[in-house]
């Protein structure tokens, strides 16, 4: 989202050079810059002790492809806290450990995706109302079920499989 008016005082923003960032929207009254903001989403590849990956089917995202646990980072929440929370909320599993893997800009949705891997103990899923189906699959099989190369889910699975060799 791009700012044209100051969200604090309501005045129309000017532009001013701001360090290495170039010309930036600026409130002359509040003396603050206003950079563009965008949603941040934590995408979490959930892996059990057998090396199987949790794949979710969420028809509102795709009827063709499976995806990983995901959710928007809330104000005041770290991306790591979001990843752990979403794993618990969407599939009812508790993360034992969490590791950042990669990030990707999603141009179409105008959002930043932060990819994590959560290690968990395998157990049956308890699905939230957002999830239509979830399955545990070996990572090699999972690669065939997720979005094609170029998508963060594919990138994360490919990295995981490469590290296993």
């Amino acid at each position: 989202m791009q700012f044209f008016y100051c969200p604090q005082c309501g005045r129309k923003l000017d532009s001013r050079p701001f360090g290495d960032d170039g010309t930036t929207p600026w409130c002359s009254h509040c003396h603050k810059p206003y950079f563009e903001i965008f949603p941040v989403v934590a995408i979490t590849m959930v892996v059990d002790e057998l090396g199987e990956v949790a794949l979710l089917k969420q028809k509102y995202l795709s009827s063709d492809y499976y995806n990983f646990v995901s959710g928007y980072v809330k104000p005041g929440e770290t991306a790591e806290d979001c990843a752990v929370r979403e794993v618990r909320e969407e599939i009812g599993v508790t993360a034992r450990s969490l590791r950042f893997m990669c990030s990707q800009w999603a141009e179409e949705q105008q959002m930043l995706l932060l990819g994590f891997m959560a290690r968990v103990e395998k157990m049956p899923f308890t699905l939230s109302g957002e999830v239509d189906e979830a399955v545990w699959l070996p990572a090699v099989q999972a690669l065939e079920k997720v979005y094609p190369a170029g998508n963060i889910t594919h990138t994360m699975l490919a990295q995981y499989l490469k590290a296993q060799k």
Side-chain angles (χ1 to χ4, degrees), residues 60-72:
Y60 74 93
L61 291 175
S62 173
S63 55
D64 297 326
Y65 300 109
Y66 284 83
N67 52 288
F68 295 149
V69 170
S70 63
Y72 291 96

Side-chain angles (χ1 to χ4, degrees), residues 33-48:
Y34 286 95
F35 298 95
E36 289 187 41
I37 59 173
F38 48 85
V40 178
V41 173
I43 307 276
T44 309
M45 179 173 65
V46 178
V47 181
D48 70 15

Side-chain angles (χ1 to χ4, degrees), residues 72-125:
Y72 291 96
V73 178
K74 295 178 180 180
E77 180 178 54
T78 67
E80 292 84 354
D81 289 343
C82 174
V84 170
R85 175 181 53 78
E86 289 290 343
V87 168
R88 189 178 56 255
E89 287 176 0
E90 290 190 355
I91 60 174
V93 178
T94 301
R96 289 185 314 195
S97 67
L98 188 72
R99 179 175 68 84
F100 177 76
M101 293 185 72
C102 64
S103 64
Q104 183 178 62
W105 177 252
E107 184 65 37
E108 188 176 316
Q109 296 91 356
Q110 293 287 292
M111 64 178 59
L112 179 63
L113 308 173
L114 302 176
F116 294 93
M117 178 174 66
R119 293 284 187 169
V120 303
E121 185 176 316
K122 185 175 183 175
M123 60 181 56
F125 298 118

Side-chain angles (χ1 to χ4, degrees), residues 23-24 26 28 39 54 58 62 71 80 115 118 120 126 129 134 140 147 153 159:
T23 303
T24 302
W26 178 266
S28 298
Q58 293 173 288
S62 173
E80 292 84 354
V120 303
T126 303
V140 174
Y147 292 87
T153 55
Q159 282 182 15

Side-chain angles (χ1 to χ4, degrees), residues 130-143:
E130 293 181 36
V131 180
D132 297 302
E133 173 190 350
V135 295
W136 288 108
L137 283 179
V140 174
Q141 289 177 16
L143 194 58

